[in-house]
Amino acid sequence: MEATAILPVLKKKLAFLSGGKDRRSGLILTIPLSSDQTSMEELSATLDYLLSIPSEKCKARGFTVIVDGRKSQWNTVKTVVLMLQNVIPAEVSLVCVVKPDEFWDKKVTHFCFWKEKDRLGFEVILVSANKLTRYIEPSQLTDDFGGSLDYDHSDWLSKRLVFEKFTKESTSLLDELSIINDGDKSNSMDKEKSADCGLLPSFDPETVLQTGPSPSLTSPLTRGPAWCPMEEELLAQPQVMKLLDSLREQYTRYQELCRQRNKRTQLDEIHTKVMQVVTWLQGPGSELLKTHQAIGDSMRAAQALQQKHEEIESQHSEWFAVYVELNQQIAALLSAGEEEEVVELKALQQQLSDVCYRQAAQLEGRQNVLQAAQGFHSTTQELSQQLDGLLGMLCADVAPADGASIQQNLKLLEEKLQAVEAGLGSLRQKGALLLEQMCSQPWTPEETESPPGEQQDNVQQIQSVMEEMQLRKQRCEDMVDVRRLKMLQMVQLFKCEEDALQAVEWLGELLDALLKTHVRLGDDSQETRTMLDKHRKFVDVAQSTYDYGRQLLQATVVLCQSLRCTTRSSGDTLPRLNRVWKQFSVSAEERQQRLELALNFHGGAERVLQLECVEVESLDEVDSSGKTLLDRLTTPIIFPDGSEQYFGSPSDTAAAAEGVRERLLLVEERRAADDSPPRPPAC
């Protein structure tokens, strides 16, 4: 009986073999009765199927049947127990009826089992679920009865279905393969018979072989790691392995039969395909490459040639794919072929490889030439644009606003020239690379002696382009030299004008410092003399600044004449320089005169104050020079344009005058002392 025949009944789990064993090592058969009415026919069919699984040796140890009547009526339990006598009377050793908590009528149950005890042939006991362990170990009971045995009925049923399906298919397939292999011995000399004719079994051997080694079949049909599998379930493993071994043996013979019959057909097919590939590559393929040797005269033309070459490569790729496939097929046949076949296959393989590699080398050479041509044309186009930009810059008028902009233009000009030089160097490299690629391009044996005429035209074209670019670059360099000289002169012109303006500013700063800070006249003759020396040095610095400015302005005149342009800013710079210098000269002269007056005053005052006998004329002379100095301090400086300016602030002037007055006061005291009667004569 197969499980598929009563699959709906088995799914109901009317009875099952959990894998547990009693103390006599007998199997435990569990019949879980439900509250619904149990079909005795379905239960009987389930028991028949379950009892067909164990081996005879296992059956001889007897069964312990657990009838779970906790959810059923007593009459149903009684019917099941009596049915066991008809189904498995000899195999039953003990029947444990698990009674419910609300037990049936003790007199009825006890009387019935006692009455039927001799006729049944096995012992029947009534026991509650918690006392079932008195007869069966807890490890052999499922969790329904407080045991630890793990059992999954759905998993068990699915494994039984897989096992039975595999057994049925593998047995049928084994018979078919044996018939095919044995029947082919009489036809072993028939070389023309197709390997597919009459050699197709009902089942796919690969599928059956893949099903066999699955864990569902090669591992015991267990429900948990703690469970000790039944002997009859362990028997499924060697049975499966034995079937697999026999099946592999017959399938190997079947494969060898098919291989031998396919070998000759494969050789013929390979030979035909090899000749197709060789014929196309040596014919249309080579002709395509011969007719496309140009490199184009521009970047766009080179790109169009590249696109056309990619189409040619695409056509070759289809045949190269066939070559790869054929090469793999030939390699596979060589590893298992006979000596005669090996010689034939190697000759085909060598012929195919020679033609394909030669054609691939020509394709690669053409691709390298086109890539080098694109690089050459791209560099040529870029260099031409750089030369156009440089020429446009050289043809434009130079009218910068200042020296910085001229410097910037000169820097830009130099950068453009350097870029042109670098571009020309790159063009030479790209041209040399292109010529090298063209010369190293693999030719066909017929073209080795004399390359195609189109290649010679390409060489001349490359050389002509490089010569033209060299001439254009040389013309631009000559123009750059002229423009560079002019721009350097303009830079020098602006620099002279800027420095002349700077000289005017410096001279103005010196004048400002002279008028604002050079006010003091000294407290004595020594200090005044020192200040006079410093003043002369200060005037020398101003004189140098003025001379430097005039020299710069004279240089601007010369540069403007050389550049044929009018004086830019020196027209108003020179009057400004002269005006500031005149103001400085007047101020410096006034300052020097005041210091000289102060030196004369302090010298006379010190003398009359130090002498014991002083003449009145000397005192009058000192007094007169002091008053003259005081008057000079209050007198403004009158510039050539009529404007007036004072030295320092009024407080600075007052401080300088205060020092003079103090010294005059001392002189007056000396005069008074000399005129006093009590004192002796001054001499």
Side-chain angles (χ1 to χ4, degrees):
M1 181 185 298
E2 296 182 359
T4 54
I6 58 170
L7 183 58
V9 177
L10 291 176
K11 289 182 178 180
K12 293 181 180 180
K13 196 182 177 183
L14 300 178
F16 62 88
L17 289 170
S18 64
K21 298 179 181 180
D22 58 20
R23 290 187 173 92
R24 297 187 306 276
S25 297
L27 295 178
I28 298 175
L29 175 64
T30 305
I31 303 176
L33 299 176
S34 62
S35 58
D36 300 333
Q37 186 66 29
T38 302
S39 172
M40 293 300 114
E41 294 180 359
E42 293 180 348
L43 178 58
S44 177
T46 302
L47 293 175
D48 289 341
Y49 176 76
L50 293 176
L51 293 175
S52 67
I53 296 176
S55 63
E56 295 299 327
K57 180 180 177 181
C58 187
K59 291 180 181 178
R61 288 195 292 267
F63 291 88
T64 292
V65 182
I66 299 177
V67 180
D68 189 359
R70 289 177 292 180
K71 298 180 181 179
S72 181
Q73 301 295 326
W74 164 247
N75 291 334
T76 304
V77 174
K78 178 181 177 182
T79 302
V80 171
V81 173
L82 293 175
M83 185 183 67
L84 293 175
Q85 181 188 22
N86 298 325
V87 178
I88 50 173
E91 287 84 358
V92 177
S93 300
L94 175 64
V95 176
C96 296
V97 178
V98 182
K99 59 185 179 180
D101 295 336
E102 297 179 358
F103 192 45
W104 307 294
D105 190 337
K106 291 184 179 181
K107 292 183 179 182
V108 175
T109 56
H110 177 72
F111 174 77
C112 289
F113 283 120
W114 175 82
K115 181 179 179 181
E116 301 292 337
K117 179 177 181 180
D118 295 334
R119 187 171 63 86
L120 290 173
F122 49 77
E123 182 181 1
V124 180
I125 60 173
L126 297 175
V127 63
S128 59
N130 57 357
K131 295 181 180 181
L132 191 58
T133 55
R134 295 179 180 178
Y135 306 95
I136 304 173
E137 294 296 333
S139 62
Q140 303 300 317
L141 292 173
T142 61
D143 57 357
D144 294 335
F145 306 108
S148 60
L149 181 61
D150 187 16
Y151 174 76
D152 187 342
H153 187 70
S154 299
D155 181 59
W156 175 86
L157 184 56
S158 64
K159 290 179 179 179
R160 287 300 304 178
L161 292 172
V162 172
F163 171 72
E164 291 180 0
K165 180 177 181 294
F166 169 74
T167 304
K168 180 180 179 181
E169 292 181 354
S170 59
T171 303
S172 175
L173 178 60
L174 190 60
D175 294 339
E176 292 179 3
L177 291 178
S178 298
I179 295 173
I180 293 172
N181 293 333
D182 294 340
D184 184 68
K185 293 179 180 179
S186 59
N187 300 324
S188 59
M189 301 302 295
D190 187 3
K191 301 296 184 181
E192 302 298 329
K193 186 175 181 180
S194 173
D196 296 331
C197 182
L199 297 178
L200 295 178
S202 302
F203 301 99
D204 181 16
E206 293 290 344
T207 303
V208 177
L209 287 173
Q210 291 175 3
T211 305
S214 65
S216 300
L217 297 180
T218 57
S219 62
L221 307 181
T222 60
R223 260 69 66 187
W227 174 73
C228 182
M230 298 184 299
E231 293 182 13
E232 69 279 359
E233 291 183 320
L234 288 174
L235 289 175
Q237 211 173 353
Q239 183 179 355
V240 170
M241 300 309 295
K242 183 177 180 181
L243 282 172
L244 285 173
D245 292 340
S246 300
L247 188 57
R248 289 192 184 99
E249 180 182 356
Q250 291 295 333
Y251 184 52
T252 302
R253 291 178 56 193
Y254 173 78
Q255 287 178 316
E256 179 64 21
L257 170 65
C258 294
R259 191 185 67 81
Q260 292 295 338
R261 291 189 172 185
N262 285 333
K263 186 180 298 183
R264 188 66 253 171
T265 302
Q266 289 180 350
L267 287 175
D268 295 339
E269 291 178 352
I270 287 174
H271 185 273
T272 302
K273 291 181 179 178
V274 167
M275 296 313 299
Q276 289 177 350
V277 174
V278 171
T279 301
W280 190 89
L281 291 179
Q282 291 182 340
S286 296
E287 195 63 30
L288 282 173
L289 288 176
K290 289 180 183 178
T291 55
H292 293 85
Q293 295 294 329
I295 61 172
D297 57 357
S298 64
M299 186 63 184
R300 181 176 300 178
Q303 290 175 346
L305 291 173
Q306 175 66 34
Q307 184 177 0
K308 181 61 179 178
H309 180 72
E310 291 174 357
E311 295 175 0
I312 296 175
E313 281 187 332
S314 178
Q315 297 179 38
H316 279 76
S317 298
E318 298 176 1
W319 292 98
F320 288 153
V322 177
Y323 157 71
V324 173
E325 182 181 356
L326 288 173
N327 203 31
Q328 292 175 351
Q329 294 177 5
I330 293 174
L333 292 175
L334 284 174
S335 62
E338 299 177 359
E339 184 176 357
E340 181 181 354
E341 296 169 349
V342 168
V343 174
E344 180 182 358
L345 287 172
K346 284 187 176 181
L348 286 173
Q349 188 180 42
Q350 187 63 41
Q351 181 184 11
L352 182 62
S353 297
D354 291 344
V355 174
C356 288
Y357 277 111
R358 183 166 59 248
Q359 198 74 1
Q362 292 182 10
L363 282 171
E364 183 180 4
R366 175 61 178 166
Q367 175 65 28
N368 293 337
V369 168
L370 288 175
Q371 289 180 350
Q374 291 184 53
F376 177 77
H377 290 309
S378 175
T379 305
T380 301
Q381 181 178 344
E382 182 179 355
L383 178 58
S384 180
Q385 293 175 353
Q386 291 173 345
L387 288 169
D388 291 341
L390 179 59
L391 184 61
M393 184 176 181
L394 292 171
C395 294
D397 292 335
V398 181
D402 51 30
S405 61
I406 294 180
Q407 290 280 13
Q408 186 67 26
N409 290 337
L410 183 59
K411 181 180 178 182
L412 181 60
L413 185 66
E414 296 290 349
E415 290 176 352
K416 285 184 175 293
L417 182 60
Q418 292 177 2
V420 167
E421 292 177 351
L424 185 60
S426 177
L427 182 64
R428 293 193 185 100
Q429 293 178 356
K430 297 293 179 61
L433 177 61
L434 179 55
L435 291 173
E436 180 183 355
Q437 293 291 346
M438 291 170 58
C439 294
S440 62
Q441 186 176 4
W443 310 102
T444 60
E446 297 79 7
E447 297 170 336
T448 303
E449 297 298 331
S450 58
E454 190 170 2
Q455 295 289 21
Q456 298 178 359
D457 295 339
N458 293 337
V459 172
Q460 294 177 359
Q461 175 187 346
I462 296 169
Q463 294 174 347
S464 175
V465 169
M466 290 193 293
E467 291 174 358
E468 179 186 356
M469 291 299 166
Q470 176 63 37
L471 291 175
R472 291 182 60 186
K473 184 252 184 183
Q474 186 62 47
R475 288 196 296 269
C476 286
E477 279 186 339
D478 295 340
M479 296 178 68
V480 166
D481 292 339
V482 176
R483 176 57 61 89
R484 184 188 295 112
L485 178 60
K486 182 176 180 180
M487 296 182 75
L488 289 175
Q489 289 180 340
M490 294 187 69
V491 169
Q492 188 176 4
L493 171 62
F494 278 108
K495 180 63 176 174
C496 290
E497 292 179 351
E498 291 175 1
D499 291 347
L501 290 174
Q502 184 66 48
V504 173
E505 292 179 3
W506 287 343
L507 197 59
E509 292 173 358
L510 292 174
L511 174 62
D512 188 61
L514 176 63
L515 293 175
K516 291 183 179 180
T517 61
H518 293 205
V519 180
R520 294 185 65 253
L521 299 176
D523 296 333
D524 53 34
S525 61
Q526 182 65 31
E527 184 179 6
T528 303
R529 185 175 292 103
T530 302
M531 294 179 69
L532 185 60
D533 293 338
K534 290 182 179 180
H535 174 72
R536 292 192 181 98
K537 294 179 180 179
F538 184 76
V539 172
D540 292 340
V541 171
Q543 181 68 50
S544 299
T545 304
Y546 171 71
D547 295 341
Y548 176 66
R550 286 191 62 85
Q551 292 174 2
L552 291 173
L553 291 175
Q554 290 175 358
T556 58
V557 174
V558 176
L559 288 173
C560 286
Q561 292 175 353
S562 175
L563 293 172
R564 297 180 181 180
C565 63
T566 58
T567 304
R568 298 175 58 84
S569 60
S570 58
D572 60 344
T573 304
L574 182 58
R576 286 178 56 193
L577 179 65
N578 291 330
R579 182 173 60 254
V580 175
W581 174 245
K582 290 179 179 179
Q583 292 177 352
F584 182 85
S585 299
V586 172
S587 302
E589 181 65 25
E590 177 64 22
R591 172 65 176 169
Q592 182 170 350
Q593 292 179 3
R594 292 186 182 187
L595 287 173
E596 290 175 350
L597 285 174
L599 179 60
N600 184 39
F601 167 72
H602 286 302
E606 290 172 358
R607 284 194 301 274
V608 299
L609 292 176
Q610 291 176 356
L611 294 175
E612 294 181 0
C613 182
V614 180
E615 295 180 357
V616 177
E617 291 80 3
S618 298
L619 292 174
D620 293 339
E621 182 179 352
V622 171
D623 184 65
S624 175
S625 64
K627 292 179 180 179
T628 303
L629 180 59
L630 288 176
D631 293 339
R632 198 65 173 263
L633 288 176
T634 58
T635 303
I637 302 171
I638 301 176
F639 292 138
D641 59 357
S643 60
E644 297 180 354
Q645 180 70 39
Y646 289 91
F647 278 100
S649 62
S651 60
D652 295 335
T653 303
E658 183 64 25
V660 175
R661 291 191 182 95
E662 290 178 357
R663 182 58 63 92
L664 286 175
L665 182 60
L666 293 176
V667 173
E668 289 299 325
E669 290 177 356
R670 178 60 184 269
R671 183 193 299 274
D674 292 342
D675 295 340
S676 175
R679 296 182 62 182
C683 55

